[in-house]
């Protein structure tokens, strides 16, 4: 059944001179939709609001935007360039590019690091997506129950009407006491992810993006408009866009706000993780990289900000704590929906939207590793489809296994070993973190920035100016020079300094 995937033919050679016969996106729009699908996910809808909430809003947002513009965008161009020019999975692309530039094979470490990061992210991402799935079912069940009891008129009433506020805000807590349910939800999510990735670029990833992303955008806009009308729009805007420089100054002293903003920028744009290298691999020669990168960065950043405007006004209007961490989404929002007319519909729409966004991202997370089976030019084309299917199943199942440990680390009420295990307690930055929180911190705040740091150096110093100029094809030499300057100097120095200071020096100083 996977034989039907049509292979694009006749495109130019990868850098080594060998033809790369893997599938390509069916066009620029398909690529942008899939790349935006990968970028927009729990990072925008869960991580951005909670990091902004905990670090004090406006100041963090301002710094985050600066990071996107001067670090995220150049690294995104660099990753797409490496993927398309290298013509293979992330590791193979970097190996081939280094060879063609006469440089050491050691640079493949950037590809390996990215693959390890994406794999690790998948192991916890799918657990959190499982929570979202649980909330989708919960909110559908709640509305169906209300309609059953009170007829269709129940649609216009608030969500979870029959429950008390305490019951509503303990819904996540309740899920955390049910390890089996958590594991089943995580399992269902991984199976769907595997089933899509198995079908390849055009038949799986593109189709999923084309179906899910438009629904996502419609739901996001509807929810935002409703939140601005029904919630405290002024407080939401002020929180997101009015920097509190006192808080900013305090957080600056240990560099944590800088590391959080850089980490969030990399996580949200799926950078430093070899993911965009992998999607760049399937990009055709006719597509312009800078324009595509701009579109992806713009869409991703807009979604984070708009999601903030969908969430904070109703959180403030309901008098809830904006710094509630993960529970902002799972506890505070249901409480806010409890106070809204048509709240039941909003609850369902919100969680379905989040689930769709998570799915298009988890597909990308799995694809990075599966691309070894499908994307490498030396894979026998006759075996490609079977290897893709096998790769997706094996990697997906291993991620599921580690995900089970991640899920168990979040369980409360019963001891599961994993919920009292703090694997890297001896490192100040990771003190007291259980497995899932540890992998989140380790990937977003260390591995992705490190991957981005190395990618910028690779693109700026290892790849020759002429190769980069040809591949990126900026519309002016000046823009190319700015890109190269950012990759050579600004990204490495800035990300390097923040990493060393905020991840090593400040935690040691206590
Ligand atoms: N960018 C995704 C999000 O914001 O949820 C997360 C992600 C997906 C990170 C894919 C890395 C990746 F390769």
């Amino acid at each position: 059944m996977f034989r039907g995937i049509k292979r694009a033919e006749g495109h130019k050679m990868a850098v080594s001179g060998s033809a790369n016969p893997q599938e390509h996106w069916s066009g620029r729009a398909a690529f942008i939709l899939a790349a935006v699908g990968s970028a927009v996910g729990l990072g925008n809808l869960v991580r951005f609001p909670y990091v902004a909430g905990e670090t004090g809003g406006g100041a963090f947002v301002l710094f985050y935007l600066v990071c996107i513009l001067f670090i995220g965008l150049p690294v995104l161009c660099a990753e797409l360039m490496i993927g398309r020019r290298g013509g293979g999975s992330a590791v193979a692309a970097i190996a081939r590019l280094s060879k063609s530039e006469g440089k050491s094979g050691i640079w493949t470490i950037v590809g390996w690091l990215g693959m390890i990061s994406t794999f690790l992210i998948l192991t916890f991402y799918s657990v959190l997506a499982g929570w979202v799935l649980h909330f989708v079912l919960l909110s559908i069940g709640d509305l169906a129950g209300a309609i059953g009891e009170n007829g269709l008129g129940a649609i216009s009433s608030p969500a979870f009407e029959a429950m008390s506020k305490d019951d509503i805000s303990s819904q996540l807590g309740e899920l955390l006491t049910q390890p089996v349910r958590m594991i089943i939800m995580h399992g269902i999510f991984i199976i769907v992810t595997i089933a899509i990735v198995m079908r390849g670029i055009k038949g799986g990833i593109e189709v999923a993006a084309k179906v899910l992303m438009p629904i996502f955008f419609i739901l996001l806009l509807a929810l935002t408009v409703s939140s601005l009308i029904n919630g405290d729009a002024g407080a939401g805007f002020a929180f997101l866009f009015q920097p509190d420089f006192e808080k900013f100054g305090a957080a600056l002293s240990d560099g944590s706000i800088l590391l959080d903003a850089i980490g969030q920028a990399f996580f949200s744009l799926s950078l430093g993780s070899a993911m965009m290298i992998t999607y760049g691999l399937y990009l055709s020669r006719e597509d312009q990289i800078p324009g595509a990168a701009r579109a992806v960065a713009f869409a991703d950043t807009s979604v984070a900000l708009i999601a903030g405007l969908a969430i904070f006004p109703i959180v403030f209007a309901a008098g809830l704590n904006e710094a509630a961490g993960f529970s902002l989404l799972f506890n505070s929002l249901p409480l806010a929906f409890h106070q809204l007319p048509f709240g039941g519909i909003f609850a369902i729409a919100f969680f379905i939207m989040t689930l769709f966004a998570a799915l298009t991202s988890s597909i990308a997370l799995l694809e990075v590793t599966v691309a070894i089976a499908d994307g490498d030019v030396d894979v026998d084309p006759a075996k490609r489809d079977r290897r893709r299917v096998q790769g997706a199943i094996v990697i997906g199942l291993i991620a599921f296994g580690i995900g089970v440990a991640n899920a168990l680390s979040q369980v409360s009420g019963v001891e599961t070993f994993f919920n009292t295990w703090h694997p890297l307690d001896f490192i100040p930055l990771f003190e007291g973190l259980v497995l899932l929180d540890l992998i989140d911190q380790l990937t977003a705040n260390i591995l992705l920035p490190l991957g981005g740091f190395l990618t910028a150096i690779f693109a700026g110093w290892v790849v020759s100016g002429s190769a980069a100029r040809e591949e990126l094809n900026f519309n002016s030499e000046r823009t190319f020079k700015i890109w190269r300057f950012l990759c050579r100097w600004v990204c490495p120095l800035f990300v390097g300094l923040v990493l060393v200071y905020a991840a090593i020096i400040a935690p040691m100083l206590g």
Side-chain angles (χ1 to χ4, degrees), residues 15-74:
V15 76
S16 66
S18 52
N20 54 347
Q22 71 277 342
E23 276 191 276
H24 276 205
W25 303 107
S26 56
R28 181 184 144 88
F31 163 74
I32 290 181
L33 212 54
V36 170
S38 140
V40 170
L42 298 178
N44 307 61
L45 301 171
V46 184
R47 216 172 179 284
F48 175 78
Y50 105 70
V51 178
E54 290 194 333
T55 49
F60 165 82
V61 174
L62 185 67
F63 195 67
Y64 171 74
L65 294 178
V66 171
C67 287
I68 295 279
L69 195 61
F70 293 106
I71 296 172
L73 197 52

Side-chain angles (χ1 to χ4, degrees), residues 366-445:
L366 183 57
E367 174 62 27
V368 173
T369 323
V370 172
I372 301 180
D374 190 40
D376 285 349
V377 287
D378 37 4
V379 172
D380 174 0
K383 295 199 182 129
R384 246 170 227 285
D385 294 342
R386 208 182 49 214
R387 283 193 50 168
R388 166 171 281 275
V389 172
Q390 288 166 344
I393 294 176
V394 171
I395 313 257
L397 288 184
I398 301 175
F400 170 74
I402 300 178
V404 169
N406 277 332
L408 293 178
S409 77
Q410 300 295 304
V411 168
S412 63
V414 262
E415 200 177 312
T416 64
F417 169 73
F418 288 104
N419 56 1
T420 51
W421 185 45
H422 305 130
L424 296 184
D425 226 7
F426 52 93
I427 299 177
L429 189 67
F430 302 127
E431 216 176 299
L433 297 182
V434 292
L435 195 61
L436 188 147
D437 303 320
L438 170 69
I439 298 183
D440 172 40
Q441 284 293 313
L442 177 69
T443 49
N445 283 3

Side-chain angles (χ1 to χ4, degrees), residues 61-327:
V61 174
L62 185 67
F63 195 67
Y64 171 74
L65 294 178
V66 171
C67 287
I68 295 279
L69 195 61
F70 293 106
I71 296 172
L73 197 52
V75 173
L76 180 53
C77 289
E79 291 204 4
L80 295 175
M81 168 190 88
I82 294 168
R84 186 169 71 182
R85 198 160 180 91
S89 69
V91 173
I94 290 175
R96 204 166 291 122
L97 258 179
S98 326
K99 199 167 154 212
S100 75
E101 299 285 354
K103 297 284 171 25
S104 149
I106 188 88
W107 283 102
T108 50
I109 205 165
V110 182
W112 285 115
L113 187 71
M115 268 190 201
I116 293 170
S117 308
T118 42
F119 176 75
L120 286 176
I121 294 173
L122 181 62
T123 69
F124 76 82
Y125 207 81
S126 49
V127 173
L128 299 182
W131 294 4
V132 177
L133 176 59
H134 168 82
F135 273 80
V136 169
L137 300 178
L138 206 67
S139 42
I140 291 177
D142 177 71
L143 186 64
I147 292 175
E149 254 172 50
N150 306 322
L152 282 178
I155 292 181
S156 58
S157 43
F160 310 110
E161 214 182 5
M163 295 164 83
S164 72
K165 280 194 172 178
D166 283 350
D167 285 346
I168 295 172
S169 57
S170 62
Q171 288 180 122
L172 177 65
E174 209 173 288
L175 173 64
L176 298 182
T177 62
Q178 304 169 30
V180 177
R181 186 164 176 91
M182 243 199 283
I183 292 169
I184 292 175
M185 295 293 141
H186 157 58
I188 295 175
F189 188 79
I190 282 274
I191 289 172
V192 176
T193 305
I194 294 174
I196 296 172
V197 172
M198 260 170 33
R199 281 157 208 274
I201 299 302
K202 284 204 187 88
I205 300 181
E206 252 190 59
V207 172
K210 278 183 185 156
V211 174
L212 300 177
M213 291 315 288
I215 303 178
F216 168 84
F217 280 112
I218 292 169
L219 291 176
L220 180 66
L221 287 182
L223 284 167
T224 309
V225 170
S226 136
S227 165
L228 291 174
I229 293 171
N230 292 302
D232 188 342
F237 269 103
F239 177 72
L240 283 170
F241 300 114
Q242 245 175 40
D244 176 344
F245 285 107
E246 220 167 278
K247 261 189 186 165
F248 189 62
L252 208 54
S253 63
D254 65 357
S256 61
I257 197 167
L258 302 184
L259 189 59
D260 279 332
I262 289 181
Q264 178 60 22
F266 278 106
F267 188 89
S268 192
L269 282 177
S270 311
L271 292 178
S273 61
M275 195 255 113
M276 290 295 175
I277 298 183
T278 309
Y279 272 27
L281 155 69
Y282 308 117
L283 198 58
S284 106
R285 301 249 136 215
E286 287 73 49
D287 293 323
Q288 293 293 325
I289 289 178
R294 263 198 310 270
V296 173
F298 177 77
D300 184 66
T301 310
S302 313
V303 169
L305 296 177
I306 294 173
L309 291 178
I311 292 173
F312 288 113
I314 47 174
V315 165
F316 288 128
L320 300 165
N321 177 11
E322 76 281 2
F326 268 144
S327 51

